[in-house]
Amino acid sequence: MIQSMTGYGKAVATLPGKKITIEIKSLNSKSLDLSTRIAPAYREKEIEIRQVLSKEIARGKVDFNLWVEKEDYSDAAVTINESLVEGYYKQIKAISQHLDIAVPNDWFQTLLRMPEVLTKPEIQEVSEEEWKVVSSTLQEAITNLMNFRMQEGAALEIKFKQNIQKIEDLLLEIEPYEKERIEKIRERITETLEKALDVEYDKNRLEQELIFYIEKLDVNEEKQRLKNHLNYFITTLNGPSGQGKKLNFISQEIGREINTLGSKSNHASMQRIVVQMKDELEQIKEQVLNVL
């Protein structure tokens, strides 16, 4: 079964005093294009996280997010050193009186700009037990992403098979026009020679030239190759996952045969059918880019 490169996976872990959320989004890409946003406490594990994602996801433009929501905000991201603020306040007030300088209009704005008043707490190391929980949550998010990709892939597979079947049906519609097309070519050339040009001609030589001309317009070889490519597409579709590039190559070969059919058609109804084939193929080409 094929997989889509479009996917979404999310998993949440609850630890004492905090909740850890992991979210993975993926879109189509020729290779793995991975960007990460990781909470500071877990950045030391970024290489390990990237290795796991690269192994499991293989291809796609992937956005990875890991963030932490704390239940206790007493250890806020920035801490105000209250004793230092008080010390600065007393010193500034004393200097103001001593030098007869006006005190600030906005005390807080002034004091909060003083050195080391605002401090960031040190990042605590992640324990082995906590990392095991986070690692398990990472695997859960990846599993959810892969399940999403498989669901999307199943929908794409149904659509591809419908498109291929439609091209096969259109290929059968061409057959009645092939004999009719040859007869019309023969009649048109003969009529031109007999009526418009009013000249005598060697009928045997004309027959030989007609055979040569009609052989150049014969599409049996193109039809057979097209059938083979269509069958190969379905066989690949039913094979193991990870065949997106291969399906893309096959769709290009299908396009070449359809284009040759169009150039050899020389018949309005046949060309109309070829246009319908191209429409079905364009739908395949557009969506095959999403296949892993």
Side-chain angles (χ1 to χ4, degrees), residues 99-131:
L99 298 177
D100 195 24
I101 299 173
V103 295
N105 293 324
D106 188 341
W107 273 105
F108 271 107
Q109 187 175 7
T110 302
L111 293 171
L112 292 177
R113 289 178 178 174
M114 301 304 289
E116 298 183 7
V117 167
L118 301 178
T119 58
K120 292 184 178 181
E122 294 183 3
I123 297 174
Q124 297 180 349
E125 288 189 6
V126 178
S127 66
E128 283 297 321
E129 291 74 16
E130 182 175 331
W131 177 241

Side-chain angles (χ1 to χ4, degrees), residues 142-286:
I142 291 173
T143 299
N144 292 336
L145 172 74
M146 302 310 281
N147 288 338
F148 193 109
R149 281 181 155 192
M150 289 180 70
Q151 291 172 7
E152 289 291 304
L156 284 175
E157 184 175 330
I158 292 171
K159 180 59 179 169
F160 286 147
K161 287 181 177 179
Q162 289 173 345
N163 293 133
I164 294 295
Q165 185 60 53
K166 182 62 177 175
I167 294 174
E168 288 182 348
D169 294 342
L170 289 167
L171 191 56
L172 292 175
E173 290 182 23
I174 284 178
E175 292 181 5
Y177 298 111
E178 289 184 73
K179 188 175 181 181
E180 175 189 326
R181 176 189 61 157
I182 292 171
E183 290 300 323
K184 283 188 176 181
I185 292 171
R186 186 189 301 273
E187 288 174 8
R188 188 172 66 247
I189 294 175
T190 303
E191 185 177 346
T192 302
L193 287 171
E194 290 181 349
K195 295 183 180 179
L197 298 179
D198 192 22
V199 294
E200 293 185 3
Y201 60 89
D202 186 337
K203 291 186 178 181
N204 291 330
R205 179 63 185 275
L206 173 62
E207 194 67 27
Q208 291 174 1
E209 293 296 330
L210 279 173
I211 291 171
F212 176 74
Y213 181 64
I214 290 167
E215 280 180 349
K216 290 178 66 177
L217 296 178
D218 182 69
V219 294
N220 284 317
E221 191 175 336
E222 286 75 15
K223 284 167 56 183
Q224 187 58 53
R225 283 201 298 263
L226 179 54
K227 285 178 185 177
N228 292 340
H229 293 326
L230 295 174
N231 291 335
Y232 191 31
F233 191 96
I234 294 297
T235 301
T236 306
L237 202 60
N238 293 331
S241 61
Q243 302 291 320
K245 290 182 179 179
K246 190 174 183 179
L247 289 171
N248 187 32
F249 295 147
I250 298 170
S251 67
Q252 291 176 23
E253 293 301 317
I254 291 172
R256 288 190 182 94
E257 299 306 328
I258 291 176
N259 286 336
T260 307
L261 272 174
S263 64
K264 284 189 170 185
S265 291
N266 201 22
H267 190 284
S269 297
M270 287 177 67
Q271 288 172 341
R272 175 182 54 79
I273 293 171
V274 167
V275 169
Q276 290 177 273
M277 286 183 178
K278 288 182 177 181
D279 181 49
E280 296 296 326
L281 181 61
E282 275 306 306
Q283 294 178 42
I284 292 173
K285 285 183 173 181
E286 184 179 339

